[in-house]
Amino acid sequence: MPNSNAKFHGNHRGGQEAGRRELVSRSLQSAQHCLEEQDFGTAYAHYLLVLNLAPELKTSVKETFQFSLFKWAEELDSLARIQDLFNCYEQALELYPNDEVICNSMGEHLFRMGFRDEAAGYFHKAVKLNPDFADAKENFYRVANWLVERWHFIMLNDTKRNLTYLKAIENAVRSGCKSVLDIGTGTGILSMFAKKAGASFVYACELSKTMYELACDVVAANNMEREIKLLHLKSLDIEIPKHIPERVSLVVTETVDAGLFGEGIVESLIHAWEHLLLQPK
C-alpha cells in the first residue's frame, strides 16, 4: 500500500509538471502571436503568466517581456490609464527588481506626468545598477536640473559663507555640543563640517528625495556614511527615539533664505528647538 501511494503521488507530480510545461509553452506561443498582432496588453499578460509559472525563463524572455511592457505602457499612457500603467511597472519590478532598463522607463513616465522627485529616484537607481547606462545618466542629470535649486551651487561655491559656517560649528562643538542635527542637509556639507569638527553624533534630515540621495552619495564619497545618519524626513516628523536616540545639543541649517516664511522654516526650527534640542539649564 505505501508503494502504491508513493507511485500515485509521483505520477500526480509528474502530471502537474507536464501540465505546467504545456501551459508555459502555449502562453509563450500566444504572447508571440499577440506581439505580431500588436496586441501588447494581452502579450504582456501572457508573459506575466509565463514568468510566474516558470521563473527559470526570466533571462531568455527578458527582452521580449520588456518590449511588450513598454509598448503596453505607451498605450495605457495615451488612454490616461495611469494607475494601470503604474501597476504594470510594479509587477515588472517585482519580477526584475534590479533591471536598469525598466527603472529608467518607469522614471521617464513619472517625469512626463510631473512626478519629478519620484522620477529622479528611478533614474538614480538605474544609474546605480549600471553606471554606463547613458540614457539613465542623461535622464538623471536632466531631472536633477529641475530639482536642485540654483542657490545650492551658489552656496557651495561661496567660500566666505562656508568658512563662516565651519568656524561657527567648530566653536560650538569645542564648547561642548557633541550631538548635531542638520535640518535640510542638502548636499550634507554642514553635517560633514560637524563631524570633522569632532561631534560624536551627527544626524541630518532632508525632505527632497533627490537631495537626500545626493547627500548619501556625497557623504559616502567622503567616507562618512557610517558616521552621519541621514534621514529622508521632514524635521517636524523626526521622533525620539524612533529616528534619533535622544535630543541633540546643536541644530544647524542652511534653509534660511528668501523662502523663509513660505516654506514653514520658522515652524520647523521652533519644533527642532522644543523637541529635538537639549534645553539649556
Side-chain angles (χ1 to χ4, degrees):
M1 203 58 185
N3 289 337
S4 298
N5 286 335
K7 185 176 180 180
F8 171 79
H9 289 301
N11 290 337
H12 182 65
R13 285 194 296 269
Q16 284 184 322
E17 178 59 24
R20 183 186 74 90
R21 288 198 299 266
E22 177 66 20
L23 182 55
V24 168
S25 177
R26 288 186 178 182
S27 293
L28 283 172
Q29 291 174 10
S30 297
Q32 188 60 44
H33 176 73
C34 289
L35 286 178
E36 292 170 359
E37 297 295 319
Q38 297 189 352
D39 183 358
F40 301 116
T42 307
Y44 172 75
H46 279 299
Y47 278 120
L48 276 183
L49 177 61
V50 168
L51 289 168
N52 279 287
L53 288 174
E56 67 273 12
L57 297 180
K58 279 186 179 181
T59 301
S60 61
V61 304
K62 181 177 176 180
E63 289 188 10
T64 48
F65 172 75
Q66 288 177 343
F67 179 77
S68 63
L69 166 66
F70 299 155
K71 287 295 186 180
W72 180 226
E74 287 176 7
E75 289 189 20
L76 292 173
D77 195 2
S78 67
L79 296 169
R81 292 171 57 182
I82 306 306
Q83 190 57 57
D84 290 334
L85 185 152
F86 287 155
N87 289 341
C88 286
Y89 273 96
E90 287 176 3
Q91 293 168 337
L93 287 169
E94 284 181 7
L95 293 166
Y96 296 95
N98 295 318
D99 187 278
E100 69 273 19
V101 178
I102 296 177
C103 287
N104 183 64
S105 180
M106 176 65 161
E108 289 176 338
H109 281 287
L110 287 166
F111 184 76
R112 285 197 294 270
M113 294 173 192
F115 300 106
R116 292 168 182 159
D117 207 27
E118 293 82 356
Y122 281 97
F123 293 145
H124 184 259
K125 181 178 179 180
V127 173
K128 283 287 190 181
L129 290 167
N130 182 1
D132 296 323
F133 189 6
D135 288 349
K137 286 198 291 187
E138 181 180 344
N139 283 332
F140 181 67
Y141 295 144
R142 178 160 58 104
V143 75
N145 283 332
W146 285 90
L147 294 172
V148 180
E149 302 288 351
R150 297 275 75 82
W151 49 263
H152 274 289
F153 301 107
I154 296 172
M155 286 178 3
L156 287 172
N157 288 282
D158 188 339
T159 304
K160 183 177 179 181
R161 175 191 178 100
N162 292 336
L163 286 176
T164 301
Y165 267 104
L166 175 60
K167 290 178 180 177
I169 291 171
E170 286 177 340
N171 290 337
V173 172
R174 287 170 184 162
S175 68
C177 296
K178 296 300 183 181
S179 55
V180 181
L181 172 64
D182 180 6
I183 294 178
T185 191
T187 59
I189 188 171
L190 297 188
S191 296
M192 292 186 289
F193 282 171
K195 196 62 198 177
K196 287 183 177 180
S200 302
F201 305 99
V202 179
Y203 312 98
C205 64
E206 175 57 55
L207 182 58
S208 164
K209 185 175 181 181
T210 301
M211 292 307 301
Y212 164 76
E213 291 178 345
L214 177 61
C216 289
D217 287 344
V218 172
V219 168
N222 285 273
N223 299 314
M224 292 186 180
E225 65 270 27
R226 295 183 179 180
E227 301 174 341
I228 297 173
K229 182 175 181 179
L230 290 159
L231 303 166
H232 181 211
L233 286 172
K234 190 176 182 180
S235 61
L236 291 168
D237 295 330
I238 295 177
E239 298 178 16
I240 300 171
K242 180 178 179 181
H243 301 114
I244 61 177
E246 58 188 1
R247 292 189 178 191
V248 297
S249 51
L250 176 66
V251 169
V252 296
T253 185
E254 277 192 303
T255 53
V256 181
D257 68 347
L260 175 65
F261 297 101
E263 297 177 1
I265 302 300
V266 171
E267 290 83 355
S268 294
L269 293 179
I270 292 174
H271 175 273
W273 173 260
E274 292 178 344
H275 299 285
L276 303 173
L277 193 65
L278 287 171
Q279 298 297 316
K281 297 179 180 179

